[in-house]
Structure formats: structure tokens, C-alpha cells
């Protein structure tokens, strides 16, 4: 048995120790409390999270709470919220978050996204801004037929018109039936996704179908893959029927979305028209209560009134008080115009008719003394101006007219020249003297361009109309419906009298500044007939009288063993692709590609090479561009034959860049009798190409050019000279079967040839 644990401890002395009894209640458990007289402690209660600038939030908000909050935000904010932090990005990575937000903002009646389209992609098309191709930030229009938001240029660049797909339809008859399409008007303005009964209308004309380039390329690949193996007619019909059904279903969904998008716009437009009509009634009532009253006919002549009624807001006394001083300022002029136009009494009509008749019959044969002297003065001015090479062609006619006007009023020799000149005199000088002088120039295209002008009142940038001088003077009356700079051209009297008696030219005075602009000048909508500002000339070109660069002289082409020489389209595509990634513009790639293909074409024996590559090669290029998806390669050219076309539907091909397919369809329909090698498209000159290749940053393009168009060695040139001497080339005939090794330089046109011999063009010694 072990001893107790306290054994062995030293004894404790207990003497003198006093033990008192515990106080009553002292053995109770003490409770927590505060000292008497002290204030109670404030219990800390955790309040709501405070948001402070520069201090992160400590509390964590659950993901489902953030999703609930974001569902009430505008859709535009969601695209910014994704970039705030990872939490928001994660919260918006769910389709349900975007779907809840869409329903919360637009309601459950909004159509669902198209098959295969994400909710955020759907929101981007509805709320986003900026062209999805070129990045133009001002673009807002969404083309639902293609599910893209493009600017007008990118719409034209990325679509294929039905007329431009002629040769594609011949090779793939049912291809376009399987692809969604859009309807555009003759100006390529989008109208709708397909033809269907809409709740909204647009007053378009010349409607045609357009297809997305990528969709055409994809369907070409699908058809080629399907027909790699032998297919029965039943299999073909089933395959095409499935794709046509898918297309129709997709088009129906797109049309539902378009209707939903356009409905609020239509309602807003209707409400705006109602408010404008309310403003018209309000302002007319107020104007008639004035003393003397302002009639509606007078009101519509005042520009300030036209601007006031074009505001889609309800009228008010405040808006009337702001408009009234402007109306009073133009009251007298408007009343004068109304009285002149109405010509209330018969005596005034008779006086005006008699003065117009006398003036017309006096001047109609251009044989009055004043007219004869003015034409002689024009001959003197033309003699001074024709030898001045510093004048741009576009400024020539207007500078001659200004000089004739100045000399007329500065002359003191002939008293008859002090008579006032009319616009009819300017038209006479232009038709009788200036036009014959311009027609004598050696270039017909240059002459026709020099006789076209712009209207100073037409400020629209999307319509670039050009007029003959006389037609432009008659056109100015369209800008005289309101008070302003062009009110002088308002027709005073019945229009029938103006048509019979020579038009407005017999009424308006010829002033220092004609209401005519050269094609390089910008229209501002204003015209000051007595402005003494110097005439704005065209910028002088940097081209001097230097010999033209013959870039392809003494060069040959290095072919590839995979492409035969007679495959013109394949060779053109090969050469143009070689310059991909060099930064060279498409027009220079096209020039080099066609030059290379022509070099290869003329290397064939004469019995195999025709005078020019057949036109079918252009169809093959068009199909290859679409099949390979290289839409930009041969894009952006104009027709050189339609510069002076009278019809705007033809002139647009010379004034606006066209796609290869549209230009090809236009050439077939309008210029089928022309030589396509020289008249198909307007290509840059060899001088422009050489300057471009030598620019800073084009080193890669110049290297590729030297690779596919190398320079001949001197030994090759000497052998060619000996060859010429042997066959007596000085007689001007190539031997049968021999083709020149250097392609023609002036244009893409080949050397003229026949079945047996080809005339000699350029001496080979020049290539040294």
C-alpha cells in the first residue's frame, strides 16, 4: 500500500492564524455587471455594408444575389459589368442571367434568340454600337437577315447581290435557295429579311435580293462535299429539301424579331408625326391672330418656321415666343414672294409676259450686238487659258467664265458691254465657246469630266449628283421653295411661260460667283453671288512632265508547276495571294495578279493562245473568290466606261467602288461588246504601283514583286537582239509560233495578233 501523497510534507505552523466566518451571501455566485454609477456599455450591432470610394467591400455577396441585382440593370450596363471583376464576369457567364435581364427589360413577348445564338450575342445586336467589321463607332443599324451590325460600306462589301451571282447560279442552281437573304433597294439600302407582309413599310424601289458572302462560301463547300460521291435524284431532292426547310424556319424567326424591333420605332414615328401636326395647327392659329396676319402660305416660305415644325415636341407659349421674332424678320420678304408668285391682276400678268417675250425673241439666236461682243471676248479669254497647263480640268470652265465676266465689266472700249449680263449669257458662252474647246482635247473621258458640275445647295454626302451647266441652272429652282440664298431662282409666273420662254436664265443676273461648283469643291448649302473670296482651285497634282515608268519592261514571270499557263483565273489568284499579308491595297494586288496571268497566258504557243483570254475566265475568278472566301482580293473597283453616263443607275458604277461580282454583272449587261482586258475595270497606273512599292513599310511587297516578276539577265537580252536580227524583225513581223517575252505595258491589253503573225510593238533594245 503506497503512502498518501501529502506524507513527507513539512508541518505547517497554525499558531496565530485567525479564521473568520464568511459573510452572509458571500458564497453566492457573482453575476456579471457594471460598477454602480457607471453608464451601461453599448452593444455593438453589425450594420449594413457601407460603400466607400477607394475601400473594397469586406462583406461577400452571394452569387445568386448579384444575379438578381443584375437582372434589373439595363442591358447596356451588363457589357460593362463583365469587365469590373471576376465575380461579375462569373455571374454573367450563365445564360440564365442574360435571359432574366432580357425578360425584365423587354417583357416576355420578346422573341427568343435564333438557334445557335447566345443570349449575350442577342443583347449585343439589340443594344450594342459599332460596325462589327470595320469598327466604325457610330454604326447602330443591325441587319437581322445576317445577324450583323455593319456600316453601309461593309454591308455592300460583305454581301453578294442576286444579279452578281449569275455565274454562281449556273454552276450551283439551288445554292441560293438554301441561304437566308435580305431585300435592298437600288441604292443598296436594307429593307427587310426576305419578302413578307410587314407591319411597317419603306418606300424603296428597284428591290433585289442580297446574300451574305460567308453563307454562300459555306453552302458551296457543303454542296461540293455532298456531290463528291454519286448521288441519286431522290437523295439530291431530299438533301436540298432539308436545307430549304431550315432556311424557311430561320427566315420566319428573323422576321418575327424584325417586326418586334420595328414596332416601337413605328409607334415613335407615329407619335412624332402627331406632335408635329399639333405644332403646325398651333403656330398657324397664333400667326393668323397677328395684325396683319401671317397666312400659312407665307409661313411655309420662312426657314425658321420649317425648322420649328420639324421638332417632335408639344407646342407651348414659350416656343411661340421664341419663334415670333424670326417670323417678323422675314415677314416682308415672304409677303413679296407670295404676291410675285400669285400676280393677282391681269395687267401684271400681261406686262410680265410681254417683257419676257420681247427678251426671249431678242436673244434666242445669239445674234444681238451684246451677245456677239461677249462671244468675241470669250475667244480672247480661251486663247489665254488653253495654253495654261497649271489649270485643273475641273476648274477650266468656271475660271474661263469668271474671267469673261471680269473683263466684260472692266472694259471701257465698247459702250454696249456695260449692259447687265444674265445667266443666259453664261449658258451661251459655255455652249458656244467652252464646250467646243474642251471637246478638242485628246481624251474623251477627260473632256466629259470637265463639263460636269455640282450644285452648291445639295449638301447630302450619300448622293453625289453631277450636272451639265445648263441642267444645273434649271435644277437650282428646287432650292428656292424657302427664303434663302437661292430664292432668286424662284420662278416668277406660270411654269408654262418659263418652259416656252427660255427658263430662269432670262431672269437671274450673271454675278461674279456663279451658283455652280467644280466637282472637287464641297457644297455648303449657301451661295453669295457677290463674294470676293478667291476661287478655290483644285490642289495641283504632283505629277510632272516625266517619262512614264514602264515597270514590266525587261521582266518575265516565274510560273509554278502546279498551275498550267492556260489557267488564267488560277494564275491571277495565285499571284494576288502571294501579296497577302504585305499590306498592299487590293487594287494593286488585282493589277499584279492580272498582269501575271496575262504574262503566263501569252507564253503559250500561238496556236493555243487566243488574242485575249476568254471572258469566261472572269466568271471563274468570281466563283473562286466566293468559294475560297477571299472577298476583299478583287474588291473595290469602278467602271471606266460609265464616267459620263446620263443615268444614275449606270453612273454609280464609275463613282462608287463596286464588288467584283457586281462589276462583272454590270459589264456583261452594259458593255458586252467592249474588250474586257481594257474596259472591265479602272486599274492604277504602273507609276502609281511603283510609287506604292517604294513606300516605307512596303519592303515585303517589293520583295514578292521581285520574286514573281524578276528582271532578265543581260545575256538573255543579247540573245533576243540576235534573234531579232536573224529573223529581220525590223520588217515588223514576228515569226509564226513566236510570242513576245515582254507583255504590253500601256494597259492590260495584249499585243494585237492574228492567226499567223503578230505586229511588232516595242524594240527590245529599249529594255537595256
Amino acid at each position: 500500500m503506497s503512502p498518501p501523497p501529502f506524507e513527507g510534507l513539512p508541518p505547517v505552523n497554525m499558531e496565530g492564524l485567525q479564521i473568520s466566518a464568511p459573510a452572509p451571501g458571500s458564497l453566492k455566485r457573482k453575476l456579471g455587471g457594471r460598477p454602480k454609477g457607471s453608464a451601461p456599455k453599448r452593444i455593438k450591432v453589425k450594420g449594413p455594408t457601407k460603400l466607400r470610394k477607394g475601400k473594397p467591400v469586406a462583406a461577400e455577396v452571394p452569387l445568386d444575389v448579384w444575379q438578381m441585382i443584375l437582372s434589373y440593370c439595363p442591358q447596356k450596363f451588363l457589357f460593362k459589368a463583365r469587365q469590373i471583376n471576376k465575380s461579375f464576369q462569373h455571374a454573367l457567364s450563365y445564360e440564365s442571367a442574360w435571359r432574366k435581364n432580357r425578360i425584365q427589360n423587354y417583357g416576355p413577348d420578346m422573341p427568343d434568340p435564333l438557334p445557335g445564338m447566345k443570349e449575350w450575342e442577342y443583347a449585343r445586336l439589340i443594344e450594342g454600337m459599332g460596325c462589327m467589321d470595320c469598327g466604325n463607332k457610330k454604326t447602330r443599324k443591325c441587319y437581322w437577315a445576317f445577324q450583323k451590325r455593319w456600316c453601309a460600306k461593309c454591308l455592300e462589301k460583305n454581301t453578294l447581290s442576286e444579279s452578281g451571282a449569275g455565274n454562281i447560279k449556273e454552276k450551283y442552281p439551288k445554292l441560293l435557295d438554301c441561304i437566308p437573304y435580305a431585300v435592298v433597294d437600288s441604292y443598296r439600302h436594307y429593307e427587310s429579311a426576305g419578302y413578307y407582309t410587314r407591319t411597317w413599310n419603306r418606300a424603296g424601289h428597284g428591290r433585289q435580293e442580297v446574300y451574305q458572302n460567308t453563307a454562300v462560301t459555306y453552302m458551296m463547300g457543303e454542296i461540293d462535299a455532298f456531290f463528291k460521291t454519286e448521288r441519286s435524284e431522290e437523295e439530291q431532292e431530299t438533301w436540298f429539301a432539308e436545307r430549304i426547310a431550315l432556311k424557311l424556319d430561320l427566315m420566319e424567326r428573323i422576321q418575327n424579331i424584325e417586326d418586334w424591333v420595328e414596332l416601337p420605332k413605328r409607334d415613335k414615328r407615329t407619335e412624332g408625326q402627331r406632335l408635329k401636326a399639333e405644332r403646325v395647327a398651333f403656330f398657324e392659329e397664333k400667326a393668323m391672330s397677328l395684325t396683319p396676319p401671317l397666312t400659312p402660305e407665307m409661313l411655309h416660305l420662312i426657314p425658321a418656321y420649317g425648322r420649328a415644325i420639324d421638332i417632335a415636341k408639344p407646342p407651348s407659349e414659350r416656343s411661340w415666343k421664341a419663334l415670333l421674332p424670326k417670323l417678323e424678320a422675314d415677314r416682308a420678304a415672304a409677303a413679296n414672294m407670295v404676291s410675285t408668285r400669285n400676280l393677282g391682276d391681269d395687267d401684271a400678268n400681261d406686262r410680265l409676259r410681254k417683257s419676257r417675250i420681247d427678251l426671249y425673241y431678242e436673244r434666242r439666236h445669239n445674234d444681238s450686238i451684246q451677245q456677239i461682243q461677249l462671244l468675241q471676248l470669250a475667244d480672247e479669254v480661251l486663247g489665254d487659258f488653253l495654253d495654261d497647263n497649271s489649270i485643273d480640268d475641273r476648274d477650266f470652265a468656271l475660271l474661263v467664265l469668271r474671267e469673261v465676266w471680269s473683263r466684260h465689266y472692266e472694259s471701257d472700249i465698247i459702250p454696249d458691254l456695260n449692259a447687265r449680263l444674265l445667266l443666259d449669257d453664261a449658258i451661251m458662252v459655255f455652249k458656244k465657246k467652252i464646250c467646243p474647246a474642251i471637246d478638242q482635247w485628246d481624251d474623251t473621258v477627260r473632256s466629259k469630266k470637265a463639263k460636269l458640275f455640282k450644285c452648291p445647295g445639295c449638301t447630302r454626302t450619300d448622293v453625289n449628283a453631277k450636272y451639265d451647266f445648263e441642267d444645273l441652272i434649271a435644277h437650282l429652282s428646287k432650292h428656292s421653295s424657302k427664303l434663302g440664298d437661292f430664292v432668286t431662282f424662284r420662278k416668277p409666273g406660270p411654269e408654262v411661260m418659263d418652259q416656252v420662254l427660255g427658263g430662269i436664265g432670262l431672269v437671274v443676273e450673271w454675278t461674279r460667283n456663279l451658283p455652280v461648283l467644280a466637282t472637287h469643291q464641297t457644297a455648303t448649302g449657301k451661295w453669295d453671288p457677290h463674294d470676293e473670296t478667291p476661287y478655290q482651285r483644285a490642289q495641283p497634282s504632283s505629277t510632272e512632265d516625266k517619262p512614264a515608268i514602264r515597270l514590266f519592261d525587261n521582266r518575265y514571270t516565274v510560273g509554278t508547276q502546279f498551275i498550267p499557263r492556260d489557267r488564267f483565273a488560277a494564275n491571277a489568284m495565285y499571284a494576288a495571294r502571294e501579296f497577302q499579308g504585305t499590306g498592299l491595297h487590293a487594287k494593286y494586288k488585282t493589277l499584279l495578279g492580272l498582269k501575271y496571268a496575262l504574262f503566263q497566258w501569252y507564253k503559250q504557243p500561238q496556236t493555243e493562245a487566243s488574242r485575249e483570254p476568254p471572258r469566261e475566265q472572269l466568271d471563274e475568278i468570281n466563283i473562286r473568290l466566293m468559294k475560297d472566301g477571299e472577298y476583299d482580293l478583287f474588291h473595290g473597283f469602278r467602271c471606266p466606261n460609265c464616267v459620263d453616263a446620263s443615268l444614275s443607275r449606270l453612273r454609280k458604277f464609275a463613282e462608287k467602288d463596286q464588288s467584283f461580282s457586281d462589276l462583272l454583272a454590270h459589264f456583261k449587261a452594259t458593255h458586252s461588246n467592249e474588250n474586257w482586258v481594257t474596259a472591265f475595270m479602272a486599274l492604277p497606273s504602273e507609276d502609281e504601283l511603283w510609287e506604292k512599292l517604294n513606300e516605307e513599310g512596303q519592303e515585303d511587297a517589293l520583295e514578292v514583286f521581285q520574286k514573281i516578276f524578276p528582271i532578265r539577265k543581260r545575256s538573255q537580252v543579247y540573245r533576243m537582239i540576235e534573234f531579232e536580227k536573224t529573223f529581220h524583225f525590223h520588217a515588223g513581223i514576228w515569226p509564226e509560233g513566236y510570242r513576245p517575252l515582254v507583255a504590253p505595258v500601256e494597259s492590260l491589253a495584249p499585243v494585237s495578233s492574228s492567226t499567223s503573225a503578230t505586229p511588232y510593238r516595242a524594240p527590245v533594245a529599249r529594255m537595256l
Side-chain angles (χ1 to χ4, degrees):
M1 181 175 179
S2 60
F6 52 83
E7 287 187 3
L9 294 177
V12 179
N13 186 9
M14 303 294 290
E15 293 181 3
L17 182 63
Q18 296 180 0
I19 301 175
S20 58
S26 61
L27 297 179
K28 293 182 179 180
R29 182 179 177 183
K30 292 185 177 181
L31 299 177
R34 66 179 186 278
K36 290 183 179 180
S38 61
K41 292 183 178 180
R42 183 176 297 175
I43 300 175
K44 293 183 178 181
V45 179
K46 195 171 184 180
T49 303
K50 295 182 179 180
L51 302 178
R52 293 185 177 89
K53 186 177 180 181
K55 185 177 181 181
V57 179
E60 293 186 1
V61 180
L63 179 63
D64 56 345
V65 176
W66 278 123
Q67 289 181 342
M68 177 65 69
I69 295 172
L70 292 173
S71 66
Y72 289 91
C73 296
Q75 277 202 333
K76 286 183 179 180
F77 174 74
L78 300 189
F79 294 100
K80 298 178 181 179
R82 287 195 305 179
Q83 303 173 359
I84 294 177
N85 54 35
K86 291 183 178 179
S87 299
F88 280 7
Q89 185 180 15
H90 179 62
L92 293 173
S93 63
Y94 295 93
E95 286 281 297
S96 58
W98 290 88
R99 188 181 304 109
K100 289 178 182 177
N101 180 276
R102 173 171 60 83
I103 296 174
Q104 185 69 34
N105 280 277
Y106 299 112
D109 296 335
M110 181 180 181
D112 291 332
L114 298 173
M117 180 182 289
K118 302 288 187 182
E119 284 281 352
W120 68 268
E121 294 174 339
Y122 195 26
R124 185 186 178 194
L125 291 176
I126 295 173
E127 295 287 354
M129 283 187 65
C131 178
M132 293 181 172
D133 192 355
C134 68
N136 186 349
K137 295 182 179 180
K138 296 182 179 180
T139 304
R140 299 183 61 92
K141 177 68 176 176
C142 177
Y143 304 107
W144 287 102
F146 313 122
Q147 299 102 62
K148 295 290 184 181
R149 184 172 53 255
W150 288 326
C151 61
K153 290 183 178 179
C154 292
L155 171 66
E156 187 168 356
K157 183 182 72 172
N158 293 317
T159 54
L160 173 70
S161 65
E162 185 181 14
S163 58
N167 57 335
I168 296 177
K169 288 194 293 185
E170 293 176 1
K171 187 171 182 179
Y172 301 90
K174 294 186 178 181
L175 183 143
L176 299 183
D177 296 336
C178 305
I179 304 173
Y181 66 93
V183 179
V184 298
D185 62 13
S186 58
Y187 292 100
R188 214 63 179 266
H189 295 160
Y190 181 89
E191 291 198 3
S192 62
Y195 297 99
Y196 67 101
T197 304
R198 304 184 294 267
T199 58
W200 42 277
N201 294 312
R202 287 197 177 98
H205 56 85
R207 292 180 174 88
Q208 60 174 334
E209 301 172 8
V210 292
Y211 302 83
Q212 191 174 0
N213 289 337
T214 53
V216 175
T217 301
Y218 174 78
M219 190 54 61
M220 279 182 169
E222 289 280 304
I223 293 176
D224 290 341
F226 176 73
F227 282 98
K228 276 187 177 179
T229 58
E230 191 74 21
R231 302 287 183 177
S232 64
E233 292 186 3
E234 184 179 354
E235 289 178 331
Q236 296 179 24
E237 292 179 1
T238 303
W239 191 84
F240 280 109
E242 291 176 355
R243 275 141 189 84
I244 292 174
L246 290 174
K247 168 233 178 167
L248 294 176
D249 178 68
L250 180 61
M251 290 289 290
E252 184 178 358
R253 293 172 181 267
I254 292 173
Q255 290 164 2
N256 291 335
I257 294 176
E258 266 192 348
D259 269 342
W260 182 88
V261 170
E262 291 293 332
L263 185 61
K265 295 180 181 179
R266 185 195 64 175
D267 295 340
K268 185 177 180 180
R269 207 160 35 240
T270 304
E271 178 64 14
Q273 293 172 357
R274 186 190 65 79
L275 291 174
K276 290 178 182 180
E278 188 177 336
R279 291 176 74 89
V280 170
F282 178 78
F283 290 146
E284 287 183 355
E285 181 182 355
K286 288 288 186 179
M288 289 299 293
S289 64
L290 298 175
T291 306
L294 268 171
T295 63
E297 188 177 9
M298 296 167 61
L299 282 176
H300 286 280
L301 294 174
I302 301 176
Y305 175 76
R307 294 191 294 268
I309 62 175
D310 198 38
I311 301 173
K313 291 183 178 180
S316 62
E317 290 292 337
R318 182 178 179 181
S319 60
W320 168 248
K321 290 179 181 179
L323 177 62
L324 183 57
K326 303 173 185 177
L327 299 180
E328 293 291 350
D330 292 333
R331 173 197 283 269
N336 184 36
M337 287 181 62
V338 171
S339 62
T340 303
R341 182 172 60 185
N342 293 338
L343 292 174
D345 58 301
D346 295 336
D347 292 339
N349 275 321
D350 293 338
R351 287 195 301 271
L352 177 62
R353 185 178 295 108
K354 187 176 184 305
S355 62
R356 295 287 299 278
I357 290 174
D358 293 343
L359 187 61
Y360 173 74
Y361 282 107
E362 179 186 350
R363 304 172 58 87
R364 63 174 180 167
H365 295 300
N366 300 325
D367 55 358
S368 66
I369 297 176
Q370 178 183 340
Q371 290 174 314
I372 294 173
Q373 293 169 345
L374 192 62
L375 292 175
Q376 292 174 354
L377 186 59
D379 287 331
E380 297 177 9
V381 175
L382 282 171
D384 299 336
F385 276 63
L386 285 174
D387 297 332
D388 190 353
N389 295 326
S390 64
I391 300 177
D392 191 273
D393 294 344
R394 296 167 290 180
D395 297 324
F396 180 80
L398 294 182
L399 288 175
V400 169
L401 289 171
R402 286 174 70 93
E403 185 65 21
V404 170
W405 183 91
S406 299
R407 293 190 188 183
H408 170 82
Y409 286 110
E410 292 171 359
S411 176
D412 295 330
I413 301 175
I414 306 176
D416 291 341
L417 288 181
N418 292 325
R420 310 303 294 176
L421 295 178
L422 301 175
L423 277 183
D424 188 64
D425 295 311
I427 296 173
M428 176 191 66
V429 172
F430 180 80
K431 293 172 65 176
K432 294 288 185 180
K433 296 299 179 182
I434 297 178
C435 285
I438 292 177
D439 291 336
Q440 292 178 3
W441 294 350
D442 54 354
D443 189 351
T444 57
V445 175
R446 175 189 167 199
S447 300
K448 291 171 181 177
K449 285 184 177 181
K451 293 186 288 186
L452 295 176
F453 306 93
K454 288 171 60 177
C455 172
C458 297
T459 56
R460 289 181 57 178
T461 57
D462 57 335
V463 178
N464 189 18
K466 298 181 178 67
Y467 304 88
D468 177 76
F469 189 84
E470 188 173 7
D471 294 338
L472 179 53
I473 299 299
H475 161 80
L476 290 170
S477 61
K478 295 183 178 180
H479 300 289
S480 63
S481 60
K482 296 183 181 297
L483 295 175
D485 295 340
F486 301 100
V487 71
T488 312
F489 296 91
R490 192 174 187 86
K491 295 183 178 181
E495 294 186 1
V496 176
M497 186 169 59
D498 289 299
Q499 296 172 4
V500 174
L501 302 180
I504 202 70
L506 293 176
V507 180
V508 182
E509 183 183 346
W510 177 4
T511 56
R512 176 190 298 274
N513 290 327
L514 286 167
V516 179
L517 295 180
T519 53
H520 66 85
Q521 295 172 335
T522 304
T524 60
K526 299 180 180 180
W527 170 60
D528 184 359
H530 305 291
D531 186 14
E532 297 183 359
T533 305
Y535 179 83
Q536 179 190 356
R537 286 190 170 195
Q539 293 294 332
S541 59
S542 59
T543 56
E544 302 174 356
D545 292 336
K546 57 183 180 181
I549 297 175
R550 305 180 69 85
L551 184 57
F552 295 93
D553 279 12
N554 197 23
R555 292 185 183 271
Y556 65 101
T557 53
V558 178
T560 172
Q561 60 180 345
F562 303 105
I563 307 177
R565 295 174 180 174
D566 60 343
R567 298 286 301 279
F568 179 87
N571 279 306
M573 295 287 292
Y574 160 75
R577 285 171 180 158
E578 287 293 302
F579 291 91
Q580 293 284 56
T582 61
L584 200 62
H585 193 273
K587 61 183 180 181
Y588 302 110
K589 295 178 187 177
T590 304
L591 173 62
L592 292 167
L594 295 177
K595 278 284 188 182
Y596 177 88
L598 283 171
F599 269 63
Q600 292 293 97
W601 182 268
Y602 295 133
K603 282 184 179 180
Q604 301 176 84
Q606 187 166 354
T607 55
E608 297 180 12
S610 61
R611 183 178 181 183
E612 65 180 32
R615 195 172 298 174
E616 289 74 15
Q617 296 293 333
L618 296 177
D619 295 332
E620 186 177 349
I621 291 178
N622 190 28
I623 293 176
R624 280 179 167 273
L625 290 172
M626 197 59 59
K627 183 179 291 188
D628 298 341
E630 296 176 316
Y631 321 110
D632 298 338
L633 202 56
F634 283 36
H635 178 85
F637 293 94
R638 305 182 182 187
C639 177
N641 308 297
C642 294
V643 174
D644 60 320
S646 58
L647 299 176
S648 59
R649 65 179 179 84
L650 298 180
R651 195 168 59 245
K652 69 178 182 180
F653 287 94
E655 298 175 348
K656 189 177 179 182
D657 291 345
Q658 305 293 326
S659 65
F660 188 88
S661 57
D662 288 342
L663 195 60
L664 178 58
H666 164 73
F667 182 78
K668 288 181 178 180
T670 313
H671 311 293
S672 58
N673 297 327
E674 299 286 342
N675 183 346
W676 76 264
V677 179
T678 57
F680 175 49
M681 59 173 61
L683 291 170
S685 65
E686 295 180 13
D687 300 77
E688 295 178 46
L689 175 60
W690 183 244
E691 291 178 5
K692 189 66 178 179
L693 290 173
N694 284 277
E695 286 183 0
E696 186 178 356
Q698 295 294 338
E699 293 80 8
D700 294 340
L702 183 59
E703 183 179 350
V704 175
F705 174 76
Q706 300 286 4
K707 183 184 75 171
I708 65 175
F709 291 99
I711 300 177
R712 295 186 184 281
K713 298 179 181 179
R714 294 180 64 87
S715 59
Q716 292 175 313
V717 177
Y718 286 126
R719 284 200 299 269
M720 291 171 63
I721 295 175
E722 293 298 325
F723 190 68
E724 288 185 352
K725 292 178 181 178
T726 304
F727 285 94
H728 305 285
F729 275 14
H730 62 275
I733 301 295
W734 294 105
E736 184 175 358
Y738 180 79
R739 302 292 296 180
L741 297 181
V742 180
V745 182
E746 289 78 11
S747 66
L748 287 174
V751 178
S752 57
S753 62
S754 62
T755 55
S756 59
T758 303
Y760 179 75
R761 274 187 60 114
V764 181
R766 177 169 46 80
M767 298 190 302
L768 293 174

